[in-house]
Amino acid sequence: MALHLFTRTRALENQIDEFLDKISEAGLVFNRAVKLYLKKGQGKEFDALLEQCAGIEHRGDELRRAIETDLYAQTLIPDLRGDVLSLLEAMDYLINIYEANLYRFSIEAPEIPASFRRGFKELTETVVTCVEAVVLAARAFFRDIEAVRDHNSKVMFLETEADKISTKLKRAVFASDLELAHKTQLRYFAERVDELANEAEDIADALAIYAIKRKI
Amino acid sequence: MDLTVLFFLTSGLFLGWSLGANDAANVFGTAVGTRMVKFTTAAIVCSIFVILGAVISGAGTTHTLGELGSINALAGAFMVALSAAGTVYMMTKWGLPVSTSQAVVGAIIGWNLFSDSVTDTSVLIKIFATWVACPLLAGLLAVSIFKLVEQFLGWGKFHLLRLDAYTRLALICAGAFGAYSLGANNIANVMGVFVPVSSFTDFEVADFFTLTSIQQLFLLGAIAIAVGVFTYSKKVMLTVGQDLLPLSPVAAWVVVISHSIVLFLFASEGLEYLLANNGLPTIPLVPVSSSQAVIGAVVGIGLMRGGREIRWQVLANIGGGWITTPVISAVVCFIALFFLQNVFNQQVYREVRYELSAPVLKKLSEHKIPIKALQELRGKSFNSGVQFLDALHAKRVLTDDEDRAALYYAQTGKFVVESEKIYLLDESWFTAAQMEAIRNLSARTFGYRWTLAEALANKTSEWRLKDNSKVNKLYNKDINRKLDYVYRTFSVNE
């Protein structure tokens, strides 16, 4: 029985690690895809990255469901199960936002003037780093509770940075001579990309509470 | 086994059931309360290990009748067990963890009052001390272990799920160990008194395993405990593991392990002997009870966290339950004995006589008890311990130890070392020299317990008590247990 318990636990640990890996992967793909879009616009390469991101999202969903089912079926971590499930769902939402944003680029194919490309690039890099920091915080929640706080503080910092970049970008967009519809579309894209950092910050806030509860 | 014995056996089984319903919560309460172990799993593991403990280790101490051993009539033992079981049942119904052995001691005090027997004041002190010292020690230990575990987990950085698996396994192991001890230590209280009247016969299972009659009797008692665990322990488990203080799984384990360590360190004569024998300082033995230890550990952790989470009302109810358990048990037993004796015409106790004869006075003077004032009582006979002590105290105030010595030496009886009874003795428990000494006394009659003890001691040094020191304590206790067994075997009703 004990051996079975440890084998199942090990398998579940691996699944959680893989799930968190998928979020990091999705971030890397998203970063590459946005940079590519800014450089070359839509094309086969972009579509391939979009497909890759959709694949990651699909695998992420599978893993999340499997983890959730196992946690319930084996009645593991009874005191923290609710927190872990909320965490996994919130993390899964991050992959969804990555994927949804790439679809938005693919469907709407916004025209981004050269003067704003640097702002979008900077915003994308910051939000992806911010999400990566929250992935580290989530990993720490499972393994090294004391480190959660360190990663969380990075998330908070990067979220503020992303807000600053996004606000600056939106101001520049609305100060330009573009059509109002174009301005609104660019603002929309800036907000959707920035949403990733906001979501990461919400997760970090929740993690801070979960971490207190996880202390024995 | 005649029908009366079978009927009387039911109260033992009821006591077993109550023990299972209440005491199982001490070992599995926090595990079930934190939802780390399902109630069904806990009940199965607990039942299996209670049965193993009772049959394997419990049977090893069958020669002692547990605390009920002082009761000298079967109907009396029936009522003492029934009163204790009834009290524990009532407390269990209210979800309060109480000490079954304190309920038994309370009922014995009721029997003592009814039969005019002397209640040793040390028993009362032991009960009071258990209420205070035991939770205090368990609480302090729980806090220390909690701090250590916190450090260790910070250093070990275990994955949440791995920690969950380790904790789960640790809780089950600690629970199984606790259940084994529960069965081994308490079965004597449940069934011990019925050992002499059991008519089970040994039976062999597939040539390699024999279940002795005593083991069969204990198996029956252990099954009663297991039924108690399954049918009624959940409520008390949730009080211990959930209602008093919300605990994390690791804290739940800290509670169980602190409780076990307190029971081991402060109640283990074996450990005291080991330390004393190696010239190491010993840990003072303190009366401990598993219910008190568990609650002490939970409260200790609660206080360490600032005390805000402790539900004080629940704690007050539990504390109230501890105090009322022996009292209710004593009162119920006293009243019930009255009915059993006067309405159902059952003999609930046998009269014990005391007499200050010349040899007794000589023995007392050897124990440095001034007998000058007691000479007036010489040759007088008393029908109860209380009457005897009252008469002594009217002449001279004696200390508790002197009281004990006077009661021991003055108690009369008739002990005939009949050869048929020698064959009934469990030879494997005695050394060859001890058995030889008993055989040498064949056909002799003794009027006092101590004269029989002295006759045995004169035959071989292996029946002699050693000096009263910590190193010899365990040895002397063993000899006294064997002597009790010999007295019971050769005692003849006059």
Side-chain angles (χ1 to χ4, degrees):
Chain A
M1 193 186 89
L3 191 69
H4 174 72
L5 184 71
F6 287 111
T7 326
R8 297 292 304 210
T9 302
R10 175 60 68 87
L12 202 54
E13 276 174 40
N14 291 342
Q15 280 182 323
I16 291 175
D17 281 340
E18 192 189 342
F19 174 74
L20 295 174
D21 290 345
K22 291 294 157 202
I23 303 169
S24 303
E25 259 179 59
L28 293 171
V29 173
F30 178 76
N31 198 13
R32 271 183 65 196
V34 173
K35 277 185 188 164
L36 188 75
Y37 185 88
L38 294 174
K39 202 171 169 187
K40 296 183 183 169
Q42 240 184 319
K44 275 188 183 168
E45 261 185 282
F46 179 85
D47 289 344
L49 288 170
L50 172 62
E51 212 170 291
Q52 193 181 346
C53 189
I56 293 169
E57 195 273 338
H58 180 68
R59 177 68 186 144
D61 279 345
E62 276 179 357
L63 285 166
R64 177 181 55 79
R65 283 193 205 103
I67 295 163
E68 287 176 357
T69 311
D70 269 7
L71 283 179
Y72 265 104
Q74 296 178 54
T75 60
L76 299 174
I77 41 169
D79 54 330
L80 299 168
R81 200 187 307 144
D83 295 347
V84 170
L85 294 188
S86 304
L87 175 67
L88 294 178
E89 271 166 28
M91 299 296 281
D92 188 42
Y93 186 54
L94 291 172
I95 313 185
N96 292 348
I97 305 177
Y98 277 138
E99 187 200 21
N101 279 344
L102 290 188
Y103 269 113
R104 283 188 189 106
F105 276 104
S106 168
I107 295 163
E108 297 184 28
E111 190 198 326
I112 300 173
S115 54
F116 304 132
R117 284 182 195 155
R118 196 166 160 222
F120 270 102
K121 194 179 156 207
E122 207 180 334
L123 180 63
T124 307
E125 273 169 0
T126 311
V127 297
V128 168
T129 320
C130 183
V131 169
E132 190 48 36
V134 90
V135 169
L136 291 176
R139 282 190 204 280
F141 170 74
F142 287 105
R143 288 185 194 280
D144 180 12
I145 199 74
E146 298 302 325
V148 171
R149 205 172 161 273
D150 301 335
H151 296 299
N152 271 357
S153 66
K154 264 187 202 164
V155 176
M156 306 303 168
F157 173 79
L158 289 165
E159 194 275 338
T160 315
E161 284 301 298
D163 275 350
K164 281 185 200 162
I165 299 165
S166 153
T167 309
K168 194 175 153 194
L169 183 63
K170 284 187 279 185
R171 279 189 200 285
V173 167
F174 279 92
S176 70
D177 300 330
L178 296 174
E179 290 286 316
L180 182 63
H182 196 177
K183 287 177 183 172
T184 313
Q185 191 191 29
L186 291 180
R187 184 210 61 197
Y188 175 76
F189 270 84
E191 281 176 352
R192 293 285 66 82
V193 174
D194 189 33
E195 189 193 357
L196 280 158
N198 294 334
E199 191 59 33
E201 188 192 41
D202 289 347
I203 295 173
D205 285 338
L207 263 175
I209 304 293
Y210 300 159
I212 295 170
K213 282 168 76 181
R214 184 173 167 342
K215 283 189 178 166
I216 65 162
Chain B
M1 201 182 294
D2 67 50
L3 271 178
T4 332
V5 172
L6 206 61
F7 175 73
F8 286 148
L9 196 66
T10 54
S11 77
L13 295 178
F14 183 29
L15 184 62
W17 179 86
S18 301
L19 186 86
N22 201 293
D23 289 40
N26 301 331
V27 286
F28 272 109
T30 54
V32 172
T34 50
R35 292 176 293 153
M36 286 297 274
V37 179
K38 277 187 251 169
F39 173 72
T40 328
T41 314
I44 292 171
V45 174
C46 192
S47 302
I48 292 173
F49 281 89
V50 159
I51 292 173
L52 288 177
V55 176
I56 300 169
S57 292
T61 55
T62 49
H63 311 93
T64 54
L65 297 185
E67 279 146 320
L68 287 168
S70 53
I71 317 256
N72 57 18
L74 194 57
F78 163 79
M79 198 39 83
V80 166
L82 191 67
S83 316
T87 310
V88 176
Y89 166 68
M90 209 162 69
M91 295 298 172
T92 310
K93 210 171 170 189
W94 292 332
L96 298 177
V98 293
S99 161
T100 307
S101 44
Q102 286 197 1
V104 172
V105 172
I108 291 173
I109 293 172
W111 181 86
N112 283 348
L113 291 171
F114 188 80
S115 63
D116 230 7
S117 304
V118 179
T119 301
D120 196 334
T121 43
S122 68
V123 173
L124 297 175
I125 294 166
K126 199 171 155 180
I127 292 180
F128 292 132
T130 312
W131 289 339
V132 184
C134 179
L136 206 67
L137 286 170
L140 289 172
L141 197 71
V143 170
S144 320
I145 295 178
F146 191 92
K147 291 275 176 206
L148 281 174
V149 170
E150 212 171 27
Q151 295 279 320
F152 175 71
L153 293 182
W155 168 81
K157 297 191 192 342
F158 297 102
H159 192 283
L160 179 62
L161 291 167
R162 189 82 54 93
L163 181 63
D164 180 78
Y166 288 149
T167 314
R168 214 169 274 255
L169 196 67
L171 277 169
I172 290 180
C173 290
F177 175 68
Y180 188 92
S181 316
L182 182 74
N185 297 332
N186 287 289
I187 195 70
N189 277 333
V190 175
M191 286 283 130
V193 79
F194 301 104
V195 169
V197 290
S198 152
S199 60
F200 286 119
T201 45
D202 294 4
F203 82 67
E204 223 167 84
V205 186
D207 279 351
F208 63 89
F209 177 71
T210 310
L211 209 60
T212 65
S213 68
I214 291 162
Q215 281 176 327
Q216 289 168 52
L217 190 70
F218 279 23
L219 179 65
L220 197 65
I223 291 171
I225 300 178
V227 172
V229 175
F230 263 100
T231 53
Y232 225 76
S233 64
K234 197 169 184 181
K235 203 169 175 179
V236 185
M237 282 194 188
L238 294 181
T239 304
V240 172
Q242 218 172 47
D243 294 353
L244 180 58
L245 176 84
L247 286 170
S248 69
V250 177
W253 177 79
V254 171
V255 167
V256 181
I257 210 71
S258 315
H259 135 273
S260 304
I261 293 175
V262 163
L263 292 193
F264 176 71
L265 282 187
F266 298 99
S268 169
E269 286 176 334
L271 181 71
E272 188 189 40
Y273 171 76
L274 195 75
L275 291 173
N277 211 21
N278 289 301
L280 295 166
T282 56
I283 299 165
L285 291 186
V286 177
V288 288
S289 147
S290 105
S291 304
Q292 273 85 1
V294 161
I295 298 302
V298 173
V299 173
I301 289 177
L303 287 175
M304 189 198 65
R305 289 186 191 157
R308 286 182 301 277
E309 291 172 295
I310 299 174
R311 297 194 188 106
W312 295 101
Q313 185 56 48
V314 178
L315 184 63
N317 290 344
I318 293 172
W322 290 353
I323 297 166
T324 48
T325 299
V327 177
I328 293 175
S329 198
V331 173
V332 168
C333 185
F334 187 89
I335 297 168
L337 284 169
F338 177 82
F339 279 99
L340 195 62
Q341 179 181 270
N342 299 308
V343 179
F344 297 97
N345 289 322
Q346 293 291 323
Q347 189 193 22
V348 293
Y349 65 91
R350 275 192 288 144
E351 230 163 50
V352 179
R353 285 174 194 280
Y354 296 85
E355 199 183 303
L356 271 187
S357 58
V360 172
L361 284 168
K362 192 176 163 229
K363 273 294 182 221
L364 294 181
S365 71
E366 276 172 23
H367 276 73
K368 299 197 173 66
I369 299 175
I371 54 165
K372 209 173 169 188
L374 306 179
Q375 288 292 352
E376 280 178 46
L377 300 172
R378 187 173 176 158
K380 278 194 181 173
S381 181
F382 303 89
N383 291 335
S384 77
V386 172
Q387 278 181 23
F388 174 63
L389 280 189
D390 283 349
L392 287 191
H393 287 192
K395 300 291 170 200
R396 190 192 159 81
V397 177
L398 302 174
T399 64
D400 283 352
D401 281 345
E402 288 169 344
D403 277 352
R404 254 176 245 132
L407 284 167
Y408 173 69
Y409 287 111
Q411 186 182 328
T412 60
K414 190 178 179 191
F415 304 94
V416 183
V417 188
E418 292 167 282
S419 48
E420 310 89 77
K421 283 187 178 173
I422 296 176
Y423 291 112
L424 291 178
L425 289 172
D426 177 4
E427 281 198 39
S428 60
W429 196 32
F430 299 99
T431 63
Q434 283 173 334
M435 273 314 290
E436 190 54 35
I438 295 172
R439 283 193 198 98
N440 281 336
L441 296 180
S442 184
R444 281 185 60 184
T445 302
F446 299 88
Y448 295 96
R449 286 179 293 178
W450 58 271
T451 47
L452 172 57
E454 281 190 350
L456 287 170
N458 286 337
K459 295 282 175 198
T460 170
S461 62
E462 289 183 26
W463 272 116
R464 263 172 236 155
L465 293 170
K466 291 182 179 172
D467 291 341
N468 203 3
S469 71
K470 277 179 182 166
V471 182
N472 296 335
K473 199 170 158 185
L474 216 57
Y475 174 85
N476 285 346
K477 198 172 178 178
D478 182 53
I479 295 286
N480 279 326
R481 266 189 206 152
K482 286 177 177 166
L483 282 171
D484 270 340
Y485 179 50
V486 170
Y487 300 149
R488 275 202 311 276
T489 308
F490 299 118
S491 171
V492 177
N493 286 339
E494 284 172 299

